[in-house]
Amino acid sequence: MKTKLILPMFLSNMLSGIGSGIMIYISGGNLVWVGALLATLPLPFFLMVLTNALSISRTSERLPALQLINLVGLTLVIYTLYSSQIVLTAAQFIPLGIAILGFVSLHWYVWSFSYYQREKSQAIIKGQRLPEMHFKRLDKSDVSSTSFNGSKTLLIFFRANWCPFCMNQLKEVKKHAQKLMQDGVKVKFISNQGFENSKALADKLNLPHHFEILQDEDLKGAKVLGIEDIDGSPVGMPGYPKDTVMATVIALDEEGNVLFGDETDNYRRRPLPETFIHVFDGSEKHSVTTSQISPQIQ
């Protein structure tokens, strides 16, 4: 089970980057601190600022632009220290340590943390009916997935309000509300994040009448599908359960049969709405999976 200490890692990189920026000013632009800044600040800035400011729902798989900036920073620190031709003091190894921290953090995030390492669900099979699942509405009344029959249904399983990629994905789907309504599609946003968090999200999104947020208590529905992410929430998220769900999109016909399923293994790689909303009007040419996604950011 991979570590979920993502927030402490982000914060350490952010503080290191800010500290490096201060040292750039104090030292009059010393390149060693410029390198330390480039090695540490891009990742937390990308995830904490750009994803929200630009409403990023998906990225390239390996984030090559961030990796390049990070590598340039580490290289600049090493080259500056090597070419200084002076005996290095303990203090001069601080920017090197900061740059190495940034390098290790970014590569851990890109190559390990971003992946679920999930196995394909045996329940999400195109043309087959989903097994019955039970959820709760925000008024805490029970609802069975069999009650979805009779209407085309789009199920979006998302992690929680703390995930910017999830929030941007939900907003992105909402932008297609008119098209989905015309096709007679009801949309269900599903998570186990708790009623209060989901009520706050409902207020924020101001969803139209054919959209609904459902609570998957104890991940019972997710476990039926095999898409639960046990101990998947990052450490340091008070008010949220430690278990969550792997981001999943499922389109159902009127009889509850699967028209489309996306089981991304990388939480930053999500299908464009255009790849699944058209399956409801029978346009099969748009029924593609995550491997065909055009990323919004590198």
Side-chain angles (χ1 to χ4, degrees):
M1 181 171 56
K2 62 187 179 183
T3 179
K4 296 298 181 179
L5 297 175
I6 188 72
L7 282 183
M9 185 271 286
F10 281 173
L11 290 174
S12 63
N13 274 261
M14 183 172 65
L15 292 175
S16 296
I18 293 173
S20 297
I22 293 172
M23 289 305 300
I24 291 173
Y25 176 77
I26 293 175
S27 65
N30 191 325
L31 290 180
V32 74
W33 289 108
V34 173
L37 175 68
L38 293 175
T40 54
L41 200 55
L43 181 59
F45 180 77
F46 161 68
L47 288 169
M48 294 181 177
V49 179
L50 287 184
T51 52
N52 289 297
L54 302 181
S55 297
I56 296 170
S57 302
R58 63 195 56 80
T59 72
S60 63
E61 187 171 7
R62 305 299 185 191
L63 296 174
L66 290 187
Q67 290 202 58
L68 178 60
I69 295 172
N70 177 269
L71 182 60
V72 168
L74 178 61
T75 302
L76 187 59
V77 170
I78 294 174
Y79 175 78
T80 303
L81 291 176
Y82 177 78
S83 62
S84 63
Q85 296 184 344
I86 61 174
V87 178
L88 299 179
T89 65
Q92 289 171 311
F93 280 99
I94 293 177
L96 177 61
I98 289 175
I100 292 174
L101 169 67
F103 182 84
V104 172
S105 298
L106 176 62
H107 283 76
W108 167 73
Y109 175 77
V110 169
W111 297 91
S112 177
F113 179 82
S114 295
Y115 290 89
Y116 294 123
Q117 298 178 342
R118 74 197 292 177
E119 296 181 1
K120 183 172 175 57
S121 170
Q122 298 303 305
I124 307 173
I125 300 175
K126 187 175 180 179
Q128 293 191 18
R129 183 172 298 181
L130 283 184
E132 184 177 10
M133 297 171 286
H134 294 272
F135 307 108
K136 286 187 178 294
R137 293 192 167 96
L138 295 188
D139 62 6
K140 299 189 178 181
S141 62
D142 295 323
V143 58
S144 168
S145 61
T146 58
S147 68
F148 304 158
N149 295 349
S151 299
K152 302 169 188 175
T153 308
L154 177 63
L155 308 179
I156 308 285
F157 287 86
F158 68 100
R159 302 201 294 170
N161 294 356
W162 49 256
C163 175
F165 292 97
C166 292
M167 294 300 98
N168 291 335
Q169 181 187 36
L170 302 188
K171 294 174 186 176
E172 195 175 55
V173 171
K174 183 192 171 186
K175 291 179 180 179
H176 295 268
Q178 184 65 28
K179 165 66 175 171
L180 291 165
M181 184 177 66
Q182 291 173 352
D183 290 337
V185 180
K186 294 185 177 180
V187 182
K188 314 293 184 182
F189 294 157
I190 306 171
S191 80
N192 70 315
Q193 66 175 341
F195 289 102
E196 293 306 315
N197 293 318
S198 289
K199 288 178 181 178
L201 177 61
D203 292 339
K204 181 178 180 180
L205 293 180
N206 190 25
L207 296 173
H209 67 89
H210 55 300
F211 281 61
E212 182 179 23
I213 297 177
L214 298 177
Q215 169 73 7
D216 185 13
E217 287 197 306
D218 300 321
L219 292 172
K220 292 177 181 177
K223 290 176 180 176
V224 168
L225 299 180
I227 61 172
E228 72 276 15
D229 189 11
I230 302 302
D231 199 30
S233 297
V235 172
M237 291 293 179
Y240 291 93
K242 65 182 182 64
D243 300 328
T244 184
V245 66
M246 293 181 278
T248 305
V249 177
I250 306 172
L252 304 176
D253 65 14
E254 294 93 334
E255 297 179 354
N257 299 315
V258 176
L259 294 171
F260 170 93
D262 182 89
E263 302 174 56
T264 181
D265 191 46
N266 184 324
Y267 88 96
R268 293 180 286 102
R269 302 280 289 165
R270 296 161 187 255
L272 288 160
E274 290 78 8
T275 65
F276 54 80
I277 61 174
H278 293 283
V279 301
F280 294 111
D281 59 22
S283 182
E284 290 296 324
K285 65 181 180 178
H286 293 284
S287 180
V288 297
T289 57
T290 304
S291 62
Q292 294 168 286
I293 291 174
S294 298
Q296 290 186 345
I297 190 168
Q298 298 294 316

